[in-house]
Amino acid sequence: MIDISMEMEQQDCPFIDTTADYDVSFSSFQWNFDGGDRELETRMVVEGQSREALDNALQALQDHRNMYSCTLRKRMGNTAHIRTTIDETDAMETIREYDGYVTGPFHIEGGSETWHVGFDSTHSADNTLSDLDRNNEFTIISRRQTALAEMQELIEKRDAAIELLRGSQSLTATERKTIATAFESGYFQSPRETTLSDLAEEFDISKPGVSKNLRRGQRKITQSVAGALEHLDDPE
């Protein structure tokens, strides 16, 4: 199996267009492709930087030329759960043409989409990337060949991986950005290379505010790690 992760900038994707215009992100947790109608049905979590950003993004999705349906399932503040049906994009068609398949969730933010796709042969993967280059902008994040033994190990540890993924997806956009900035700035180093005051200045909020965002994010990540360790320790 050839496993490829890429940052994709499709020209005909409603979600990418929406994140290019509004401060929102989309994370998929379920998708189903209808080969007959050539439509993709998804269930996604939408996170906005504000309630207004979320309102505008949901309206933009409804109005997009490639959006067949967009149903709001649940909403809490600036986060929403939606069910959508979109037309097959050029990139989807290309990947399917060479028998490619999705191996992980989609994440869309800032006008680009993270894809995880797999192929059964190097030939199929190379042909797909060649054709994708004609009508799409993309950057390969990683490409690796997974051996059968490694695939079996991944399958056996899928529950632990899912637990970690859920923990990461449970982070709000603010929590993700705060933790990432703190890590890159050396806040978690010993001794620390930055302080709460520095982070507060970076985000233009109070020290208690940035501390609260860090604590909430760390608690979610720690809970997911603890859950993953339980799965790894379980002999079943």
Side-chain angles (χ1 to χ4, degrees):
M1 171 184 168
I2 309 299
D3 191 32
I4 298 176
S5 296
M6 65 178 75
E7 289 289 340
M8 177 73 68
E9 296 182 19
Q10 302 181 79
Q11 303 302 315
D12 52 355
C13 176
F15 307 112
I16 289 179
D17 286 347
T18 302
T19 63
D21 295 332
Y22 303 101
D23 291 327
V24 296
S25 65
F26 297 92
S27 298
S28 70
F29 57 90
Q30 182 274 337
W31 58 90
N32 178 60
F33 188 81
D34 187 326
D37 293 332
R38 308 190 76 80
E39 296 174 354
L40 180 71
E41 179 187 280
T42 62
R43 285 173 172 79
M44 288 190 166
V45 172
V46 194
E47 293 185 72
Q49 290 291 335
S50 64
R51 293 180 64 94
E52 182 181 9
L54 180 59
D55 288 338
N56 292 333
L58 293 176
Q59 186 60 56
L61 280 182
Q62 293 278 4
D63 297 338
H64 198 281
R65 63 190 181 280
N66 285 348
M67 179 63 66
Y68 289 163
S69 68
C70 179
T71 305
L72 178 63
R73 309 291 295 181
K74 187 176 182 181
R75 174 170 178 166
M76 182 178 294
N78 60 347
T79 302
H81 169 203
I82 62 174
R83 177 179 178 178
T84 67
T85 304
I86 68 171
D87 192 13
E88 181 180 43
T89 65
D90 177 81
M92 292 179 198
E93 182 179 8
T94 301
I95 290 173
R96 279 170 35 81
E97 180 181 350
Y98 291 100
D99 295 325
Y101 40 89
V102 176
T103 60
F106 300 103
H107 181 77
I108 308 103
E109 189 170 8
S112 68
E113 182 174 15
T114 304
W115 279 42
H116 305 281
V117 292
F119 301 90
D120 292 330
S121 69
T122 301
H123 180 72
S124 295
D126 290 343
N127 284 339
T128 300
L129 295 177
S130 178
D131 275 10
L132 280 176
D133 198 35
R134 297 176 183 175
N135 299 315
N136 300 275
E137 296 289 334
F138 64 90
T139 301
I140 301 296
I141 301 174
S142 65
R143 173 175 174 158
R144 58 196 297 267
Q145 185 164 355
T146 306
L148 183 60
E150 187 176 359
M151 288 177 62
Q152 182 180 358
E153 183 179 9
L154 289 173
I155 291 172
E156 291 173 350
K157 296 179 179 178
R158 65 188 182 279
D159 290 338
I162 290 172
E163 192 73 37
L164 290 174
L165 180 61
R166 285 175 177 167
S168 298
Q169 290 180 328
S170 70
L171 297 174
T172 66
T174 297
E175 290 165 352
R176 284 199 301 268
K177 190 172 183 180
T178 302
I179 289 176
T181 301
F183 179 80
E184 293 167 0
S185 301
Y187 179 78
F188 299 112
Q189 297 292 330
S190 182
R192 286 177 173 166
E193 298 175 3
T194 193
T195 65
L196 272 179
S197 297
D198 296 329
L199 293 173
E201 183 176 352
E202 172 74 19
F203 291 101
D204 194 25
I205 61 175
S206 65
K207 286 173 60 177
V210 75
S211 177
K212 180 175 67 175
N213 290 333
L214 278 173
R215 289 199 309 273
R216 285 179 175 175
Q218 287 177 283
R219 182 169 62 251
K220 291 177 181 178
I221 292 175
T222 302
Q223 288 173 342
S224 68
V225 170
L229 290 175
E230 288 182 5
H231 287 298
L232 291 176
D233 291 337
D234 187 351
E236 298 297 323

